[in-house]
Amino acid sequence: MTDGFADILIRWYADNHRRLPWRETSDPYLIWLSEVILQQTRVAQGLDYFRRFVARFPDVRSLAEAPQDEVLKLWQGLGYYSRARSLHTAAKDIMARFGGRFPEDYEAVRSLCGVGDYTAAAICSFAYELPYAAVDGNVYRVLSRVYDVDLPVDDAAGKRYFAELAQSLLDPVRPGLQNQATMEFGALQCVPQRPDCGACPLADRCLAQAHGTVGRRPVKRGKAAVRPRYFNYLCIRCDGTLLLRQRTEKDIWRNLYEFPLIETDAETEFDALQRTSAWKAWFGGERRMRIGERTAMPRHVLSHRIIYACFQEIELERIPDSLSGFLRVPEAELDRYAVSRLTERYLERRRAAGVNVKVGKLFDS
DNA sequence: AAGTCGGGGCG
DNA sequence: CGCCCAGACTT
């Protein structure tokens, strides 16, 4: 009669869940891999990446022994690239500290690079049936509505509150199943926008629905506006090669590759770009230069990270010493390098147009 | 406690 | 365009 929270969710799950590859295994390595891929990422977006990673890296050892550039290349387009670096670091760590055997207790799992509270709980409950509540964005939403909690879910007090609430609701007999069920319920039924509360099995006990606050749960603290950034890429061609470099600095797209970049603090026309110190440092005395196409004015390309970027084609007859720090990559080999989606899209356009780079006027400084 | 890190899909 | 997504880490 008095079905508990867990019973209702588990029954709902039995009737409604999606069949996903990482749910067909209890291999902690595969579960770990899926959890990292799915951090801040929708299932639909991560699914193919998971398949490709499993095919290429079927176990910890194969991942640990791969070069980082290959891991990043396979991760290309997924975003949050620190996940790929951490995944690789952790794989090597598992080889070193645990002889290649995936750790089996919570503290050891939690100690792996890139594994936080959520991921450790997910791995331990799914793979080992250990009683740790996994609290992700779905769980925050479900709990904040069912219990009509108005604490912000993204500050320390709120996180602690929801973690304790979820743990107190966890049936230790089947923690993995309950965690899966709660998250799937949040993903499919208790969705962020316009949930179908009329069809909800928890409707009779959902306090937010009783109070009419479903649309305002979960509560989040406001976030500061993000500073726009302006990237001016230079596709410098010389003798069939393009200049490329790896982003090693601590910033977005770390360890991915890109064209020589001049970042400015506002939209910058081409002639203004030539007056920047970066330009002068690279091309100061260079006269044998042809200026090709430039993508439409600093066009807002990326999503709400707010990066405005343009690409400028340039052809040189020789590479000056000031540019000798860059890699020289034959155009046919560009796709071996992991690049941002922004750069990937430009490369696609560029290739489709057939190495256009129609050289325009001769530039003389 | 607040910032940073991608990219895609949705209304 | 704003919001959100199987979050973790740095400052």
Side-chain angles (χ1 to χ4, degrees), chain A residues 262 274-285 320-323:
Chain A
I262 298 177
Q274 293 171 51
R275 294 193 291 271
T276 62
S277 56
W279 179 281
K280 289 174 185 168
W282 283 343
F283 303 112
D321 291 341
S322 53
L323 290 172

Side-chain angles (χ1 to χ4, degrees), chain A residues 73 76 329-339 347 351:
Chain A
K73 182 61 187 176
Q76 175 175 306
V329 179
E331 300 205 33
E333 295 177 11
L334 279 175
D335 59 3
R336 296 184 189 179
Y337 294 82
V339 298
L347 289 175
R351 189 168 9 239

Side-chain angles (χ1 to χ4, degrees), chain A residues 21 46 72 85 132 152 170 190 244 248 253 272 313 328 330 334 336:
Chain A
L72 278 172
R85 300 192 305 268
Y132 292 91
L170 188 67
C190 196
L244 213 61
T248 54
W253 300 327
E313 293 287 344
R328 295 191 59 173
L334 279 175
R336 296 184 189 179

Side-chain angles (χ1 to χ4, degrees), chain A residues 76-87:
Chain A
Q76 175 175 306
L78 238 200
Y80 281 141
Y81 297 93
S82 68
R83 294 182 292 171
R85 300 192 305 268
S86 295
L87 193 72

